[in-house]
Amino acid sequence: MTALLLALCLFLAVVLSVLLACQWHAARGWRRRHATSAMLQARGLALLDALPAAVIGTDREGVVQYLNPRASALGGLLPADGLGLPVSQLLPLFHDGTPIDAARQVRECVAQQEVLEVARGAVLLRHLDGKRIDVQYSCAPLAQGGAVLLLHDVSARRRAEQQLEFIAHHDGLTGLPNRLHFQIRFEHGIAYARRHQGLLAVLFVDIDRFKAINDSLGHDVGDQVLTEFARRVQQCVRKVDTVARQGGDEFIILLTELRTAQDAERVAEKIVGAIAAPFVIGEYSLTVAASVGVALYPDDDDDVNALIEKADLAMYAAKRHAPGTCLRYAARMQTQSYSRTILETALRHALERNEFVLYYQPRMDLQTRSITGVKALLRWKHPELGLMMPLDFLHVLEESALILPVGAWVLATAVEQARSWIEQGQPLTVSVSLSARQFYQRDIVRNFAAALEAAGVPGHCIELEIAAAILIDSNQNCELILRQFRQLGIAIAI
């Protein structure tokens, strides 16, 4: 682009030199060449007038002698108003905030007889309305004295570049910085903290049970929750701090220029409190909670990725022990995280290795002293640790989404057992528990119907236990799912 601009500038210098020569020949009274000079002059002016770039011709002192229409439009002046003015008065230019003395550049250009370097991204202030226009600018000498200035409006391109840069560094939904921009801000923040022996914190914020909102109310409502969530979090921090969207329902926050670790914890508690107020989204009033983890520089680490990871560990610890609270990172969480990873890996293989088993707890009628039904209880026969209770592994199944394939296995196994008891002449109602993640799984009712049909078991032989929290967040989808279960004959228990 620069080479093209320079070439065009040189070409225009030649054209203007020809025009000046034509005027000089005509003034000498050479009749034979007068007609030719007039024709060349007319063609040259027509060419300059048609150019999309702004062309300004000056004498050797920088006084304007010629303006094409584009130059008049950029300067906000009519040609008659601009002629005879110093070019610096006509075009107040700036480069990187520093004024450009166009008249002085013209004098240097004439004296050196070479094209001056293009000032990239100079800013032009229009005289009439003060509008700022990004231009590329260069100056070339004329053979007959004076100079030609060429200005190309690059405002549209500049806006497109700025938009692309914004997209590359910000989240499209919330407008918050993304992780890439967060890392850039972190480098600035940690450099300041090192110079001043200061403290900074990384907060990892996650919306509790956000997937249930998406699954039950749809992604449009979920997106509005995320947008409102981002707005509330931003209101809890200072302008010098950075709130970024990590992805999904996860946000990371950089707190700089802290005095004590308690400052970071107070901000985390403020965020938890701000999120606790109901989210009114259309016809819905939603109760949303957030879990927050806190990691500090230099106490916990000095690397951005390590601090994010440790804040993430603290957030998960808060979510497991008391959702909707905040916790500061502690070294023991690293060991707990490792143990959890080992546990999750073992759970992924447990299903294919047939390590799960169902126990059935009988339900008695105290008057008749007869068994009226059973409750299916999941157990894990770990090859090394022995029989494990749900309290030891169920939360990992939920958080890793392994609850869905394991839940399907529980259903199929329970229905098959119900069929076996029916064939033995002892029909019993089998109670199966469903978590919120399972309840809002797509085609959950169809999966139940298919399992019952495949085993030849009537729906009244199955009872569905659901958590009260599902009904607390009751909505049209919840009511529809419950109604469809009842149509299958399946009983509902809370």
Side-chain angles (χ1 to χ4, degrees):
M1 182 66 185
T2 300
L4 180 61
L5 197 59
L6 290 172
L8 182 57
C9 194
L10 289 172
F11 171 72
L12 295 177
V14 172
V15 171
L16 280 178
S17 295
V18 170
L19 293 178
L20 291 174
C22 290
Q23 291 176 341
W24 182 78
H25 284 305
R28 295 278 295 181
W30 293 356
R31 295 185 180 183
R32 195 187 302 180
R33 297 183 180 180
H34 181 75
T36 302
S37 298
M39 179 183 66
L40 289 174
Q41 184 176 6
R43 288 181 178 178
L45 288 172
L47 174 63
L48 295 176
D49 289 348
L51 285 175
V55 181
I56 302 172
T58 74
D59 62 16
R60 61 179 63 249
E61 295 299 323
V63 177
V64 177
Q65 304 296 316
Y66 168 79
L67 290 169
N68 76 342
R70 185 59 179 166
S72 301
L74 283 178
L77 295 173
L78 297 174
D81 296 326
L83 296 179
L85 288 177
V87 68
S88 296
Q89 181 179 341
L90 176 67
L91 298 173
L93 295 168
F94 296 83
H95 180 58
D96 292 336
T98 303
I100 296 175
D101 187 346
R104 183 179 60 82
Q105 287 199 341
V106 167
R107 291 191 294 271
E108 292 179 1
C109 180
V110 173
Q112 298 172 12
Q113 285 296 296
E114 61 181 26
V115 177
L116 293 183
E117 183 181 356
V118 174
R120 286 180 172 272
V123 178
L124 171 67
L125 300 181
R126 294 188 65 174
H127 287 194
L128 292 184
D129 57 13
K131 181 180 177 182
R132 298 162 63 97
I133 303 175
D134 290 307
V135 297
Q136 284 189 329
Y137 163 74
S138 60
C139 179
L142 293 174
Q144 302 298 325
V148 58
L149 284 71
L150 181 66
L151 299 98
H152 185 66
D153 187 349
V154 293
S155 300
R157 190 184 73 187
R158 180 64 175 161
R159 285 194 297 270
E161 291 173 350
Q162 291 172 341
Q163 184 176 8
L164 288 174
E165 184 177 359
F166 182 87
I167 292 172
H169 290 85
H170 291 79
D171 172 56
L173 175 64
T174 63
L176 294 176
N178 58 17
R179 179 156 179 162
L180 175 62
H181 191 58
F182 181 89
Q183 290 178 320
I184 296 172
R185 295 294 299 273
F186 178 88
E187 293 302 327
H188 291 301
I190 201 169
Y192 181 88
R194 283 171 178 158
R195 285 196 305 270
H196 297 84
Q197 297 182 340
L199 183 73
L200 62 78
V202 172
L203 275 57
F204 200 105
V205 187
D206 182 82
I207 304 177
D208 297 332
R209 299 179 60 249
F210 178 72
K211 188 176 187 303
I213 295 176
N214 265 345
D215 291 345
S216 60
L217 303 180
H219 288 277
D220 288 343
V221 173
D223 287 349
Q224 293 181 62
V225 169
L226 287 172
T227 302
E228 173 62 14
F229 186 93
R231 188 189 67 81
R232 294 190 187 184
V233 171
Q234 282 183 297
Q235 291 181 336
C236 295
V237 301
R238 303 160 300 172
K239 290 184 178 180
V240 296
D241 302 321
T242 302
V243 180
R245 187 182 178 198
Q246 166 87 347
D249 60 340
E250 298 175 340
F251 296 80
I252 46 180
I253 302 170
L254 175 65
L255 304 179
T256 60
E257 303 177 24
L258 299 177
R259 291 175 295 179
T260 66
Q262 287 69 35
D263 291 340
E265 294 173 3
R266 279 192 287 269
V267 173
E269 292 170 356
K270 185 178 180 182
I271 291 172
V272 170
I275 301 305
F279 281 59
V280 179
I281 309 295
E283 60 182 301
Y284 305 108
S285 179
L286 305 176
T287 300
V288 179
S291 298
V292 185
V294 181
L296 299 173
Y297 164 85
D299 298 4
D300 300 322
D301 217 301
D302 61 358
D303 176 75
V304 59
N305 292 319
L307 283 170
I308 291 174
E309 179 182 346
K310 290 177 178 179
D312 188 15
L313 289 175
M315 182 276 297
Y316 269 110
K319 189 182 288 286
R320 284 195 301 271
H321 293 99
T325 60
C326 60
L327 275 181
R328 182 180 166 185
Y329 170 79
R332 68 178 183 277
M333 296 175 183
Q334 201 83 35
T335 304
Q336 293 170 352
S337 174
Y338 177 76
S339 300
R340 184 189 183 284
T341 302
I342 297 298
L343 182 63
E344 182 178 333
T345 302
L347 281 170
R348 291 187 182 278
H349 298 295
L351 191 57
E352 59 191 56
R353 294 172 180 170
N354 296 317
E355 294 174 0
F356 290 115
V357 63
L358 285 186
Y359 282 66
Y360 298 94
Q361 183 181 48
R363 192 162 52 202
M364 303 288 295
D365 185 327
L366 296 180
Q367 290 184 340
T368 63
R369 296 181 178 274
S370 60
I371 298 176
T372 59
V374 296
K375 176 178 174 61
L377 303 175
L378 180 64
R379 300 291 184 266
W380 179 18
K381 288 186 176 181
H382 194 283
E384 298 176 1
L385 302 177
L387 192 66
M388 297 181 65
M389 299 293 106
L391 184 63
D392 299 323
F393 63 87
L394 194 59
H395 66 282
V396 179
L397 290 178
E398 286 281 358
E399 293 169 4
S400 63
L402 289 172
I403 191 65
L404 299 181
V406 173
W409 176 86
V410 169
L411 172 63
T413 304
V415 170
E416 184 62 27
Q417 183 61 63
R419 184 188 64 80
S420 177
W421 284 327
I422 291 174
E423 291 177 349
Q424 296 173 20
Q426 296 179 333
L428 293 173
T429 300
V430 181
S431 179
V432 178
S433 297
L434 278 190
S435 66
R437 185 186 289 268
Q438 292 173 276
F439 185 83
Y440 287 118
Q441 181 187 6
R442 182 175 296 181
D443 297 330
I444 181 64
V445 179
R446 187 179 302 175
N447 293 341
F448 263 75
L452 292 171
E453 183 178 358
V457 174
H460 63 79
C461 290
I462 299 296
E463 181 182 73
L464 180 63
E465 287 190 3
I466 63 174
I470 295 177
L471 295 183
I472 292 175
D473 292 337
S474 179
N475 55 73
Q476 293 180 355
N477 284 352
C478 174
E479 296 173 6
L480 176 62
I481 293 171
L482 291 175
R483 190 179 303 115
Q484 289 174 338
F485 275 126
R486 293 295 296 146
Q487 290 173 353
L488 291 175
I490 296 174
I492 306 295
I494 308 301

